[in-house]
Amino acid sequence: NMNRRHLISIGAATITGFGLFAGATIAQPSADIGAVKAAHLGFLAAVSARDSKAIEAVWANKPYVVNIGPRSKTASVGFVDAVSSYWPRTFSRFSAIKVTAPSVAQIRTDGKLGWVVGKEAIVGKTTSGRRVKFEVFVTNLFEKESGRWLLVSHHAQRVPK
């Protein structure tokens, strides 16, 4: 009986200890969720402003960044192709564009990487005057670098009609 009580006490202490430890490890990433969300919204604002400099500021300047837009036929890899070439080309097709995130299915982080998965709505006008309106499924991956969350992968795929 004494052994049984001792084992129960050790088991309870172990579970409590794991619970406290798990709480400590979860606290850091959940504190970053707001920062990942802010980085995501900063990206949407930069796209909506058609601002290439603002776009460059929210992306990591790394050779491994990847961008797959709704019209992409291949993945653009590397900062030059994925960011500094892709976005000015895209902006040149629009006289106006607004991107909003009506539904975010998930914002997660492990403390080093953060990701946003959801649906975005795009409304705009092409340079020829044609109005456009469509939705995309989106996955954005951010990497924490020197305390800042920077985009390393953007994948937007049109929602079928």
Side-chain angles (χ1 to χ4, degrees):
N1 228 357
M2 186 65 143
N3 266 349
R4 186 174 181 192
R5 259 190 255 148
H6 186 257
L7 287 174
I8 291 171
S9 298
I10 289 172
T14 302
I15 291 169
T16 302
F18 281 137
L20 291 173
F21 179 72
T25 59
I26 291 170
Q28 173 58 39
S30 65
D32 283 331
I33 294 222
V36 171
K37 183 178 181 180
H40 176 68
L41 294 175
F43 171 64
L44 298 184
V47 173
S48 294
R50 297 175 33 237
D51 184 340
S52 296
K53 292 291 182 207
I55 285 285
E56 288 183 6
V58 300
W59 280 81
N61 189 343
K62 302 288 183 182
Y64 53 80
V65 299
V66 178
N67 187 6
I68 304 170
R71 296 172 40 100
S72 295
K73 296 195 184 333
T74 62
S76 299
V77 180
F79 188 79
V80 171
D81 286 344
V83 182
S84 56
S85 294
Y86 177 88
W87 289 104
R89 232 182 10 257
T90 298
F91 296 153
S92 72
R93 289 196 277 277
F94 292 92
S95 58
I97 189 167
K98 181 165 177 72
V99 183
T100 57
S103 71
V104 174
Q106 188 177 105
I107 300 176
R108 303 279 303 185
T109 178
D110 67 0
K112 177 68 179 147
L113 296 175
W115 53 97
V116 178
V117 178
K119 207 188 262 188
E120 293 174 354
I122 291 91
V123 178
K125 188 165 37 167
T126 65
T127 53
S128 65
R130 186 174 59 89
R131 296 199 180 278
V132 293
K133 182 178 180 180
F134 58 95
E135 289 184 316
V136 294
F137 292 115
V138 67
T139 301
N140 286 332
L141 179 63
F142 296 86
E143 185 175 68
K144 194 172 190 180
E145 184 178 299
S146 301
R148 290 187 61 218
W149 288 98
L150 298 171
L151 198 54
V152 292
S153 179
H154 168 69
H155 181 188
Q157 171 185 323
R158 272 187 116 134
V159 174
K161 290 183 180 182

